[in-house]
Amino acid sequence: MAPKNHLALQEHGTADVTASLPAARRSAEEDPLVPELATSSRPPWNNPNNLAPAGPPGSESLAIERAKASFPVDELTVFLNGKENLERDRTLTKVLESEKVFDKKDWYYQGRTERFKGSQERARRIVEIGKEHDWDRMTKWRAMAIVDEPGPFALHFSMFIPTLEGQATDEQMAKWLPLANNFRIIGCYAQTELGHGSNVQGLETTATYIPETEEFEIHSPSLTASKWWIGGLGRTATHAIVVARLILNGKDHGTHTFIVQIRSLEDHTPLPGITIGDVGPKLGYQQVDNGFMLFDKVRVPRDAMLMRYARVEADGTYSRPPSSKLSYGTMVFVRSSIVSNAAKNLARAATIATRYSAVRRQFCNAEASKDDSLVQQPGCPTAVVETAVIDYPMQQYRLMTRIAQSYALHFTGVAMMDLYNELTQLLAEGNLAILPEVHATSSGLKSLTTDIAYAGLEDLRRACGGHGFLKVSGFPEFIGDYAPNVTYEGDNYMLTQQTARYLLKTFRGFRKLVGSGSKVDPTQLTPTTRYLLAAAAPGFAQQTWPVQTLDDLMSPANITAAFAFRAGCMVAQLVQSIDSKQQTFTSAQLDIFKVSRAHCEYVIIDNFAQALVDPRTASLSAQTQSVLRKLFFLFALDTLENSLGSFLSISPSYISPPQIALIKAQILRLIADLRPDAVSLVDAWGFSDYFLNSALGRYDGKVYEALVEHASRNPLNVGPNKTVHEGYETSYRPLIVGGSADARIGKAKL
């Protein structure tokens, strides 16, 4: 049940991946800190005398923070997530929390084997519940997201089924999709190999067509051809989408996709000629069986090749796809989803760190605490109330800039998914016009947004001090599970080359148009690159930034123009350098990376600026619009200040020292203006305690009680280890007592 003072969560449930908050704990007499344990296993040291934390209660600190909100939190919660999504997720969460298999309280104490076994059970149960409640595929996917556990079915939902929908013929979809949607088969996506990841064209697995039998022979010609890192492959999948080199009459036609059964549907054993296993423990994703697979001349029928675009006839005749990029659809979808999810992951970390910073108190600083009513309140439990960590300027900067980043990434995520949906519609009509732009944009944004999010996660963990190092903080496992985002679906450095290649080609095209004197309507150009038209004009680099006053600085148009100018100049300079043979595309890789970053920072800022004038935003209250504008300017100006080196290097005169001073001063003012809204801005995401699974990020602020509760569950502190750990007799006693392990303890008396 949601806390009564947070209407949106009470009425609408959860944010995109969350649920309604559990009720706050009652008194110790009504609801013990730790559920009653048997006498033999109850830890004797558990909170003796029911001690309470010193200082103001965390719940009171957070209640005061929430009362400061300058905007209706419920309105922003619905705006960020959608009312229907909130209601759906609330319903899903109630169902999930009612079942013991989804209880998270012991997850942090389990090893990989236990977690994987549990994830298998939870994945199966979600499918069963889905049948009981007639959930569609998206609802099952949402349920798995709410449980917040990368499990064995993740690639079945995110890659296997979308690839069938995007690359299979109607006949193939009619055969395979009902089986996949009803889990009669479980799929994975087998592209990456031991020797090749980002270089898809370097994959070694072959699919050689044999016209006499109308079969393909799938084969791994070397050890490095082993499929590797494939999620769900190790112990789960029955079928795989295998990316292999198509060989016809000895000619290599490049990579194509094939659906291949890899395990028996009777007893789950690998089929003849197929060697499968799990790759082993990883930094994160311990619940996922990332696997390896080798093929030894495995035969599959001709219709195993997914033939929506490319075809192989019975006699071996090959029909090329109309575009080699048509197969990019699934890849663009996955990258767009990663961009969209970056915001929620960063917001989750910001929620934990911000709430904890409001509860945690360290040292006494009258200047920092000047607005803290609890410090001024007479009769506090302690003689001196320390300063809340959130009131120190350095902590405010760390928190507020990350919160602003999460909102900026949210609006880019929305724009990216809108662009992908437009692409899907156009591809269905046979229109490939925007495919290159969407591919380039999704590549660059995947790289930048996941780097921002991943860096933010670690920074926010560190902002929680020593307690952030505990698993129960919610950070270590969460960060480990997010870590692969910077690598899979394209290494973040490699992806920037795809973005830059598109930008260079586009700029050269615009330069040619400008040189010919052709009239071009910028509004008819693709939105992410139309700024390059101006950059191709003579004299573009001689501009100066038209900001003289604070009003000038607080203009979204002026902010966006600055980032467009930098990106345009960097693209122009790189084109000139490569075209004049000063650099090659290979030797220019560092500049290519910087160009992609500059372009994508412009895109994120432009998306945020466009969101501010979107009709959906305009329908919000003036207070909510105001706080969103402040977040926009904080994100944009902080990004600009951190990028001053690149601005000055491309044009020393574009931004002047007085303008830089204005930027620095305004960042501090914006942080001060947003400080009262800090807790409410993270509350607005709607993350539940169940989803966060964090002792530090609890909605009710009972941080210290939760830390002790978790410690008391620790297997090292309960059961046979309640007083003396079982290892004492064999490991410690011989050292302390001396002699054999069965020596009497009495001999150790000094």
Side-chain angles (χ1 to χ4, degrees):
M1 180 178 179
K4 294 180 180 178
N5 63 340
H6 196 16
L7 182 60
L9 292 179
Q10 186 179 32
E11 290 184 347
H12 305 305
T14 68
D16 191 44
V17 287
T18 55
S20 56
L21 297 168
R25 288 192 173 279
R26 297 167 290 172
S27 68
E29 291 75 17
E30 295 174 310
D31 192 357
L33 189 61
V34 179
E36 190 68 31
L37 301 174
T39 305
S40 63
S41 61
R42 181 166 185 170
W45 55 268
N46 176 44
N47 193 12
N49 304 319
N50 283 323
L51 295 174
S59 56
E60 187 175 0
S61 295
L62 287 180
I64 290 173
E65 289 293 331
R66 290 176 175 126
K68 297 176 184 176
S70 69
F71 65 95
V73 180
D74 312 322
E75 178 183 55
L76 186 53
T77 300
V78 174
F79 175 72
L80 290 171
N81 302 286
K83 184 176 180 180
E84 290 184 2
N85 291 335
L86 292 168
E87 291 173 342
R88 175 201 61 195
D89 286 1
R90 181 189 181 203
T91 300
L92 291 176
T93 303
K94 282 184 176 181
V95 172
L96 296 171
E97 286 193 291
S98 69
E99 303 224 1
K100 182 176 175 56
V101 71
F102 299 112
D103 190 340
K104 298 182 179 182
K105 69 177 183 297
D106 294 324
W107 282 12
Y108 293 138
Y109 302 117
Q110 295 175 350
R112 186 180 183 225
T113 301
E114 287 180 285
R115 285 301 300 275
F116 179 63
K117 185 175 185 298
S119 72
Q120 289 177 303
E121 295 170 353
R122 285 181 282 276
R124 183 209 76 233
R125 186 61 189 133
I126 285 177
V127 173
E128 292 173 346
I129 295 173
K131 292 179 180 178
E132 295 167 10
H133 293 269
D134 196 27
W135 290 347
D136 60 19
R137 189 174 87 221
M138 182 54 68
T139 304
K140 293 173 193 166
W141 179 246
R142 290 298 314 124
M144 291 181 180
I146 291 169
V147 173
D148 184 44
E149 179 182 57
F153 293 169
L155 268 291
H156 179 80
F157 280 103
S158 65
M159 289 294 289
F160 183 74
I161 292 177
T163 301
L164 289 174
E165 292 175 330
Q167 298 186 35
T169 64
D170 291 343
E171 294 79 8
Q172 289 172 320
M173 283 194 284
K175 175 181 178 179
W176 294 111
L177 282 179
L179 297 173
N181 286 326
N182 289 293
F183 284 84
R184 308 310 297 176
I185 62 173
I186 302 170
C188 64
Y189 187 83
Q191 175 173 294
T192 300
E193 294 178 355
L194 183 60
H196 293 89
S198 298
N199 182 14
V200 177
Q201 298 309 312
L203 296 179
E204 298 178 66
T205 303
T206 57
T208 303
Y209 185 62
I210 303 168
E212 292 78 10
T213 59
E214 295 189 27
E215 292 176 308
F216 289 100
E217 183 178 88
I218 312 295
H219 184 61
S220 306
S222 71
L223 183 65
T224 48
S226 171
K227 294 299 180 182
W228 199 271
W229 281 121
I230 313 305
L233 170 63
R235 313 304 300 172
T236 302
T238 63
H239 289 68
I241 300 292
V242 177
V243 181
R245 311 190 72 80
L246 175 62
I247 309 297
L248 299 173
N249 296 319
K251 183 178 179 180
D252 187 337
H253 290 270
T255 57
H256 290 66
T257 51
F258 302 81
I259 183 167
V260 180
Q261 182 175 345
I262 58 177
R263 285 186 171 97
S264 166
L265 296 180
E266 295 296 326
D267 59 11
H268 210 59
T269 56
L271 295 183
I274 300 177
T275 302
I276 308 178
D278 181 271
V279 300
K282 307 168 291 280
L283 175 66
Y285 266 51
Q286 302 304 340
Q287 314 90 323
V288 178
D289 52 326
N290 293 90
F292 64 84
M293 179 165 56
L294 285 161
F295 296 97
D296 184 10
K297 299 181 179 179
V298 175
R299 297 288 186 94
V300 296
R302 183 175 65 89
D303 67 0
M305 177 179 166
L306 301 185
M307 298 194 200
R308 174 174 291 273
Y309 301 116
R311 290 190 61 83
V312 173
E313 304 299 339
D315 63 359
T317 301
Y318 177 61
S319 299
R320 295 179 178 278
S323 169
S324 61
K325 294 181 173 60
L326 279 171
S327 61
Y328 286 7
T330 303
M331 177 176 62
V332 170
F333 166 73
V334 174
R335 289 178 182 169
S336 299
S337 299
I338 291 172
V339 171
S340 181
N341 288 332
K344 286 294 175 66
N345 283 281
L346 182 55
R348 173 182 181 174
T351 299
I352 296 171
T354 303
R355 288 177 180 171
Y356 177 62
S357 295
V359 172
R360 181 74 166 176
R361 292 177 178 272
Q362 293 288 287
F363 308 107
C364 296
N365 188 305
E367 180 184 357
S369 298
K370 66 182 184 300
D371 297 322
D372 188 342
S373 61
L374 289 174
V375 172
Q376 314 302 328
Q377 181 176 315
C380 278
T382 58
V384 178
V385 176
E386 295 180 86
T387 299
V389 172
I390 198 173
D391 284 329
Y392 289 104
M394 189 67 243
Q395 190 78 345
Q396 290 177 14
Y397 174 79
R398 296 171 77 181
L399 296 175
M400 297 314 307
T401 53
R402 296 300 183 185
I403 291 171
Q405 285 176 350
S406 69
Y407 278 82
L409 296 188
H410 167 76
F411 290 114
T412 280
V414 171
M416 189 66 247
M417 291 309 297
D418 286 346
L419 190 58
Y420 169 75
N421 290 332
E422 180 184 356
L423 170 66
T424 301
Q425 182 176 349
L426 290 173
L427 287 179
E429 299 168 359
N431 187 339
L432 309 179
I434 69 169
L435 180 56
E437 179 195 7
V438 179
H439 176 240
T441 303
S442 64
S443 297
L445 286 176
K446 183 270 180 185
S447 173
L448 178 57
T449 59
T450 56
D451 273 354
I452 290 173
Y454 189 50
L457 266 55
E458 174 59 16
D459 184 43
L460 291 164
R461 182 197 69 78
R462 294 169 63 187
C464 293
H467 291 325
F469 194 65
L470 284 167
K471 271 197 170 185
V472 297
S473 72
F475 278 110
E477 185 169 299
F478 166 38
I479 292 174
D481 286 347
Y482 189 75
N485 282 267
V486 302
T487 302
Y488 59 41
E489 291 308 309
D491 170 79
N492 277 5
Y493 287 91
M494 293 291 295
L495 285 179
T496 60
Q497 296 180 33
Q498 298 181 25
T499 304
R501 197 181 299 276
Y502 172 74
L503 294 175
L504 301 187
K505 181 179 179 181
T506 301
F507 179 84
R508 290 185 180 108
F510 286 163
R511 186 177 59 183
K512 187 175 181 180
L513 282 173
V514 170
S516 69
S518 301
K519 298 282 187 182
V520 181
D521 181 0
T523 62
Q524 300 301 309
L525 302 176
T526 54
T528 62
T529 56
R530 61 172 61 121
Y531 72 92
L532 290 176
L533 180 64
F540 177 78
Q542 279 67 58
Q543 295 182 59
T544 56
W545 198 28
V547 169
Q548 302 298 325
T549 66
L550 180 60
D551 286 343
D552 293 337
L553 186 64
M554 298 299 282
S555 160
N558 283 339
I559 297 290
T560 306
F563 283 89
F565 174 81
R566 179 186 59 156
C569 285
M570 291 177 71
V571 171
Q573 289 176 3
L574 182 58
V575 168
Q576 192 278 330
S577 177
I578 292 176
D579 289 356
S580 65
K581 310 299 182 183
Q582 295 176 36
Q583 294 189 93
T584 65
F585 195 82
T586 297
S587 67
Q589 283 185 1
L590 180 57
D591 289 334
I592 284 167
F593 173 79
K594 292 176 180 178
V595 161
S596 175
R597 287 300 161 98
H599 168 74
C600 290
E601 284 180 354
Y602 160 75
V603 170
I604 292 175
I605 285 167
D606 187 55
N607 285 334
F608 204 158
Q610 294 302 318
L612 293 178
V613 296
D614 186 275
R616 292 168 293 186
T617 309
S619 68
L620 298 173
S621 64
Q623 297 93 329
T624 300
Q625 291 187 59
S626 175
V627 80
L628 289 175
R629 283 179 63 85
K630 291 175 184 176
L631 289 169
F632 165 78
F633 285 113
L634 178 56
F635 170 75
L637 294 178
D638 182 59
T639 303
L640 197 160
E641 186 188 20
N642 288 326
S643 305
L644 279 174
S646 63
F647 275 91
L648 295 174
S649 68
I650 54 106
S651 178
S653 61
Y654 183 73
I655 294 181
S656 67
Q659 290 171 328
I660 293 173
L662 197 62
I663 291 168
K664 291 178 179 289
Q666 187 59 14
I667 288 172
L668 295 179
R669 278 192 289 268
L670 286 165
I671 290 172
D673 287 349
L674 286 165
R675 161 63 186 91
D677 288 316
V679 170
S680 296
L681 282 169
V682 296
D683 281 352
W685 291 101
F687 299 129
S688 72
D689 281 352
Y690 175 76
F691 173 72
L692 293 176
N693 199 20
S694 167
L696 306 187
R698 289 172 61 106
Y699 186 88
D700 64 10
K702 293 189 175 183
V703 168
Y704 300 114
E705 298 92 328
L707 288 171
V708 173
E709 177 182 356
H710 278 285
S712 69
R713 293 190 199 281
N714 187 341
L716 290 177
N717 299 324
V718 298
N721 300 312
K722 63 175 183 173
T723 304
V724 178
H725 189 269
E726 57 190 353
Y728 167 77
E729 288 293 336
T730 57
S731 299
Y732 302 155
R733 185 175 180 185
L735 297 174
I736 297 170
V737 176
S740 64
D742 60 354
R744 297 179 60 82
I745 292 179
K747 292 181 180 179
K749 292 181 179 179
L750 299 177

